[in-house]
Amino acid sequence: MSNFAQILENCVILKGFMAFTRITAAEAAALIKNGDNIGLSGFTPAGTPKAVTAEIAKIAHAEHEAGHPYQIGIFTGASTGQSCDGVLSDEQAIRYRAPYTTNSTFRKHVNAGEIAYNDIHLGMMAQDLRYGFLGQVDWAILEVCAIEEDGKVYLTAAGGISPTVARLAQKGIILELNAFHSPKSKGLHDVYEPLDPPCRKPIPIEKVTDRIGTPYLQLDPKKVVGVVECNIPDEARSFKDADPITDKIGENVANFLMGEKKRGIIPPNFLPFQSGVGTTANAILFALGSNPEMPQMEVYTEVLQNAIVDLMFQEKVKCASTCSLTVTNDKLLSIYDNIDFFKDKLVLRQSEISNNAEVIRRLGLIAINTAIEVDLYGHANSTQICGTKMMNGIGGSGDFERNAFLSIFTCSSVAKGGAISAIVPFCSHVDHTEHDVNIIVTEQGVADLRGKSPIERAHAIIENCAHPDYKQLLWDYLKISQKGQSWHNLAATHAFHDTFIKEGDMHKVDFSKFA
């Protein structure tokens, strides 16, 4: 083969113009050295690079086998999948990681104290990188569905922090051109990176579907060191089917919101929704969509799930803005196959725009997120089991709940077959303070905390949200508490958790010994 033929063989040809060098995933991974920080596209496993990170794990394994150090830092939009967080943590390849994860393998290594994990509000991640708070970005690895010769690239199923890591990358940019994602999706994204202070400009989004940027990400072609061609499906997460508990929570949320509409608190045409991730979120959206009094919904959120896509097909959701298509692969392909239907109804944004406090307040969102536990005064724990074990990060729940028109947290009243009460005297870890929580909903009912003093909140939560098996224990806690603006017995605030750790059942708590 001639030298010119070899050059052509190793290049990606774009519109007849020889542009970026084609490299293998292994060759790309070999560029990443011990101590480097990589910034990834994507938000959840959607849109996250999958070929290069799997090869980095192999390098880490070989280096460690040879007795050499090899660890990197990872900056992402949100969680990733097994091909990143999973395999890299199993190979002890991650020194530092921010801002969010849901991967069970990664969780195990974090809770073993092996990874420096920094839990950050997702809306702040790109900004914190630009401000220099988290260190240098050495490499950006971006998953794309199309490339143009002047450096325009089209992202796949998520926005994430791609513009920021691409601009900040000091050593170069690696592109994963993933044929699984259809180039037909090129018009879905609205790429926009805000200015930094001082004199930061307003973000001019006034409606859910407003577009303020470009459908592509403009790169500096000189920074692109290679293109890795692949065809790898997203590591789609499927959630458990709804059950009577989640259905009842969904029904309670829907009935409450319809009541607010009738009282005139919510406008007749309603307000846009943000909903968290998971089975309960899906059940709530289905309950809202099934309610005959519910007008066509608008969704402004960070994660779009199957339920919203189905409701869009049914024309119960008019339009949606999101950072990520966190859907099953069959649902993702159905979006690509029906792109003419979605192109004026669906917008994909960066996380600092989808989760932006200014925009959330302007649009007046109804934010609905899931808590692990809630205490008597309305503090909510989204991340930690018994105050020490990370379940997953705070994600965007703080971005939305703190700035929403209406802040709603949902959870089942009990867990582990009733051995755990999700309503506790005091949260073992606080992600959302009482000042940011308006409404708590369990399958038992709804506690409206607006306009209530701390002790009034406690009464509303016990009466409306606690499981009947735990109501008396919670009243017993208040009886032994020191009276003040809030009522607490500091020796017993975490007696529910301590009893569960020692006895395996919160029912066995004995408050009489604290009296």
Side-chain angles (χ1 to χ4, degrees):
M1 183 182 290
S2 69
N3 288 340
F4 182 69
Q6 184 65 56
I7 291 171
L8 288 179
E9 179 69 19
N10 292 329
C11 288
V12 177
I13 308 300
L14 305 167
K15 296 182 180 177
F17 181 89
M18 192 171 64
F20 303 131
T21 303
R22 179 189 290 114
I23 60 177
T24 68
E27 289 170 335
L31 298 170
I32 314 300
K33 305 303 181 185
N34 178 50
D36 281 352
N37 293 323
I38 62 173
L40 304 180
S41 65
F43 191 98
T44 75
T48 303
K50 294 167 271 289
V52 177
T53 50
E55 292 296 328
I56 293 173
K58 295 177 183 177
I59 292 173
H61 180 85
E63 290 293 291
H64 294 157
E65 285 282 301
H68 302 147
Y70 189 93
Q71 287 192 317
I72 61 174
I74 303 177
F75 306 130
T76 65
S79 60
T80 69
Q82 185 64 19
S83 61
C84 182
D85 278 345
V87 296
L88 289 173
S89 56
D90 261 349
E91 295 298 344
Q92 289 77 49
I94 306 175
R95 183 200 66 80
Y96 173 88
R97 172 80 168 86
Y100 179 75
T101 185
T102 57
N103 182 267
S104 59
T105 306
F106 179 88
R107 182 187 305 131
K108 177 182 71 175
H109 291 279
V110 168
N111 288 330
E114 298 169 2
I115 298 171
Y117 170 57
N118 188 0
D119 190 10
I120 299 173
H121 294 293
L122 300 187
M124 303 295 291
M125 183 63 190
Q127 176 176 288
D128 284 357
L129 283 171
R130 289 198 304 272
Y131 290 178
F133 293 174
L134 307 179
Q136 175 175 295
V137 180
D138 295 299
W139 297 94
I141 309 175
L142 310 179
E143 183 183 80
V144 298
C145 66
I147 305 171
E148 295 181 3
E149 66 269 19
D150 60 355
K152 291 184 177 69
V153 299
Y154 294 84
L155 301 168
T156 60
I161 57 172
S162 297
T164 296
V165 296
R167 190 166 54 77
L168 295 181
Q170 297 296 301
K171 296 183 179 181
I173 300 169
I174 298 164
L175 300 177
E176 284 193 14
L177 181 59
N178 191 344
F180 175 78
H181 295 280
S182 172
K184 291 189 296 184
S185 66
K186 285 166 62 171
L188 289 180
H189 282 270
D190 185 52
V191 180
Y192 178 92
E193 190 178 22
L195 298 174
D196 289 332
C199 303
R200 169 177 270 182
K201 303 290 185 184
I203 296 173
I205 295 175
E206 298 177 4
K207 301 187 302 295
V208 166
T209 53
D210 279 349
R211 291 176 177 270
I212 59 175
T214 61
Y216 54 83
L217 170 58
Q218 180 66 60
L219 303 180
D220 178 353
K222 296 190 292 294
K223 292 179 69 173
V224 178
V225 299
V227 176
V228 176
E229 294 180 295
C230 61
N231 189 336
I232 306 174
D234 269 351
E235 295 171 355
R237 288 184 292 174
S238 59
F239 300 103
K240 295 185 296 183
D241 292 335
D243 57 40
I245 298 295
T246 57
D247 285 343
K248 185 61 179 174
I249 293 172
E251 179 186 333
N252 288 343
V253 171
N255 289 340
F256 169 76
L257 292 176
M258 291 305 106
E260 292 298 280
K261 177 173 173 282
K262 288 177 181 176
R263 324 199 275 137
I265 300 297
I266 297 174
N269 291 331
F270 240 82
L271 294 166
F273 285 94
Q274 177 268 336
S275 182
V277 182
T279 304
T280 302
N282 271 330
I284 291 167
L285 290 166
F286 274 123
L288 288 166
S290 302
N291 193 302
E293 299 177 43
M294 184 69 205
Q296 246 191 333
M297 291 187 284
E298 295 185 340
V299 173
Y300 189 93
T301 189
E302 61 183 351
V303 171
L304 207 73
Q305 295 188 101
N306 279 14
I308 299 175
V309 178
D310 291 338
L311 291 169
M312 292 181 79
F313 275 127
Q314 298 166 24
E315 299 188 345
K316 293 179 178 178
V317 168
K318 178 168 64 174
C319 57
S321 168
T322 186
C323 182
S324 171
L325 299 174
T326 306
V327 296
T328 54
N329 282 327
D330 62 321
K331 199 68 66 178
L332 181 62
L333 294 177
S334 75
I335 293 173
Y336 294 160
D337 290 341
N338 294 275
I339 198 66
D340 288 340
F341 173 80
F342 283 102
K343 64 183 178 183
D344 61 348
K345 300 178 180 69
L346 180 60
V347 183
L348 283 173
R349 306 188 191 276
Q350 275 62 66
S351 48
E352 67 177 323
I353 304 302
S354 66
N355 294 40
N356 185 272
E358 171 197 344
V359 177
I360 291 166
R361 289 197 177 197
R362 180 180 300 126
L363 296 181
L365 297 192
I366 297 171
I368 309 170
N369 288 277
T370 304
I372 291 172
E373 63 183 2
V374 178
D375 68 30
L376 295 182
Y377 300 107
H379 304 96
N381 171 12
S382 297
T383 62
Q384 303 277 331
I385 303 297
C386 288
T388 60
K389 298 295 184 183
M390 185 270 289
M391 184 63 186
N392 40 246
I394 192 172
S397 57
D399 297 321
F400 286 96
E401 298 289 354
R402 175 69 181 88
N403 299 291
F405 175 92
L406 199 56
S407 167
I408 302 174
F409 276 98
T410 67
C411 59
S412 172
S413 64
V414 292
K416 295 287 184 185
I420 293 176
S421 172
I423 309 299
V424 295
F426 198 75
C427 283
S428 59
H429 175 88
V430 176
D431 292 294
H432 313 278
T433 74
E434 60 182 314
H435 311 292
D436 302 330
V437 181
N438 298 142
I439 312 294
I440 296 169
V441 183
T442 71
E443 80 283 5
Q444 304 297 326
V446 178
D448 186 346
L449 309 183
R450 294 170 295 178
K452 290 182 171 63
S453 69
I455 193 60
E456 289 172 335
R457 286 174 166 235
H459 281 250
I461 292 168
I462 294 173
E463 280 300 314
N464 296 295
C465 294
H467 192 279
D469 290 352
Y470 283 97
K471 280 188 176 182
Q472 189 55 55
L473 287 171
L474 293 165
W475 288 124
D476 289 346
Y477 173 77
L478 288 179
K479 288 177 184 176
I480 64 163
S481 293
Q482 182 177 348
K483 308 303 186 287
Q485 188 197 15
S486 298
W487 296 8
H488 272 307
N489 182 313
L490 294 182
T493 51
H494 293 127
F496 269 34
H497 304 91
D498 186 57
T499 300
F500 177 75
I501 290 169
K502 292 175 179 176
E503 304 286 342
D505 191 340
M506 288 185 179
H507 285 110
K508 297 181 179 181
V509 68
D510 179 9
F511 284 122
S512 64
K513 63 184 180 182
F514 298 101

